[in-house]
Amino acid sequence: LAKTTQPISMDSYEGQEVNITCSHNNIATNDYITWYQQFPSQGPRFIIQGYKTKVTNEVASLFIPADRKSSTLSLPRVSLSDTAVYYCLGVGGAGSYQLTFGKGTKLSVIP
Amino acid sequence: DVKVTQSSRYLVKRTGEKVFLECVQDMDHENMFWYRQDPGLGLRLIYFSYDVKMKEKGDIPEGYSVSREKKERFSLILESASTNQTSMYLCASIDGQGRSSYNEQFFGPGTRLTVL
């Protein structure tokens, strides 16, 4: 399982774009990069997943460079409700059932 | 709407008590997981199950056991609760045959257990 490294915390003002970068130097060839979001007193929630290049959904975008040693989660125009902890995971395919959550990045959105 | 439910949001027990944490999912998922979450340590996997009556140890199984008699239900058991088991416990399930983890993992709301 890929070991990931993220900043412990970030602050942002409302309306700004937030980019959270995750390092995963030993990611395996068949691992996907997956991001989860966790609000206080709730379980984590899947946000986005990708293998390489760019993936976009209604919540976020995920940028993965060609070497796949890092990835960047981009949250456009954040609001107070985006205050949460964001986890980056390397997720394997068949035969790899375990998700390893690191400590995540605590994003605080300021009015 | 998919759902993972846990029997209690808050639980207070005394040292030495036997504690049962129940988790139920309504998505017909094969794989179910129990994590604990502590400040500064992130989520750590305790046990998981990939089929009825099947279980495997995660990273921190000591002091815990599990039971999966039905596909939809996965129970975490603290045989003799201790104060260092005070934590937030999260149950999750994931779709997929075998052991694929590409799919989205769905989490319950968590049980905050305090052992006095």
Side-chain angles (χ1 to χ4, degrees):
Chain A
L1 297 168
K3 178 174 164 46
T4 60
T5 304
Q6 308 173 229
I8 293 173
S9 64
M10 293 180 70
D11 294 334
S12 176
Y13 288 101
E14 274 192 294
Q16 288 188 330
E17 179 185 74
V18 171
N19 295 308
I20 306 175
T21 297
C22 176
S23 297
H24 29 79
N25 291 321
N26 63 338
I27 190 166
T29 302
N30 60 349
D31 276 0
Y32 277 63
I33 305 305
T34 307
W35 286 79
Y36 281 77
Q37 174 192 56
Q38 185 177 22
F39 296 115
S41 300
Q42 294 186 27
R45 182 176 73 109
F46 173 95
I47 304 178
I48 198 167
Q49 183 180 78
Y51 186 79
K52 59 182 178 182
T53 63
K54 178 182 175 182
V55 178
T56 297
N57 61 21
E58 64 278 5
V59 176
S61 294
L62 178 60
F63 300 90
I64 305 171
D67 65 7
R68 299 191 350 109
K69 293 185 183 299
S70 67
S71 60
T72 299
L73 176 74
S74 181
L75 305 171
R77 298 181 59 79
V78 294
S79 64
L80 295 177
S81 63
D82 292 316
T83 294
V85 178
Y86 293 82
Y87 295 95
C88 164
L89 295 80
V91 174
S96 175
Y97 38 73
Q98 188 171 334
L99 299 187
T100 299
F101 285 81
K103 299 177 184 179
T105 298
K106 182 174 170 53
L107 172 65
S108 299
V109 179
I110 307 163
Chain B
D1 195 19
V2 296
K3 271 245 173 76
V4 178
T5 56
Q6 296 183 225
S7 51
S8 305
R9 289 303 303 270
Y10 299 93
L11 207 53
V12 180
K13 295 292 182 180
R14 295 206 174 274
T15 301
E17 280 193 78
K18 190 169 186 176
V19 182
F20 293 88
L21 302 183
E22 304 283 341
C23 174
V24 177
Q25 51 96 0
D26 64 0
M27 297 164 281
D28 201 36
H29 286 171
E30 291 81 10
N31 309 292
M32 296 186 74
F33 304 79
W34 275 107
Y35 296 87
R36 64 177 282 178
Q37 184 173 30
D38 301 288
L41 296 177
L43 277 78
R44 293 179 292 167
L45 182 65
I46 305 172
Y47 265 99
F48 62 95
S49 168
Y50 52 91
D51 202 351
V52 174
K53 297 192 186 294
M54 305 303 289
K55 60 185 180 184
E56 286 197 24
K57 294 179 180 179
D59 297 321
I60 51 163
E62 296 78 21
Y64 303 94
S65 62
V66 290
S67 172
R68 189 149 181 221
E69 297 296 321
K70 293 185 178 181
K71 190 176 186 180
E72 67 271 17
R73 188 179 298 270
F74 191 34
S75 302
L76 180 69
I77 303 156
L78 287 66
E79 295 290 341
S80 178
S82 63
T83 55
N84 63 11
Q85 293 178 308
T86 292
S87 186
M88 168 70 89
Y89 290 88
L90 289 158
C91 174
S93 73
I94 191 168
D95 192 13
Q97 295 296 321
R99 299 180 173 186
S100 172
S101 57
Y102 286 142
N103 297 324
E104 177 179 348
Q105 190 161 111
F106 293 90
F107 284 81
T111 296
R112 187 165 294 283
L113 171 68
T114 301
V115 182
L116 301 176

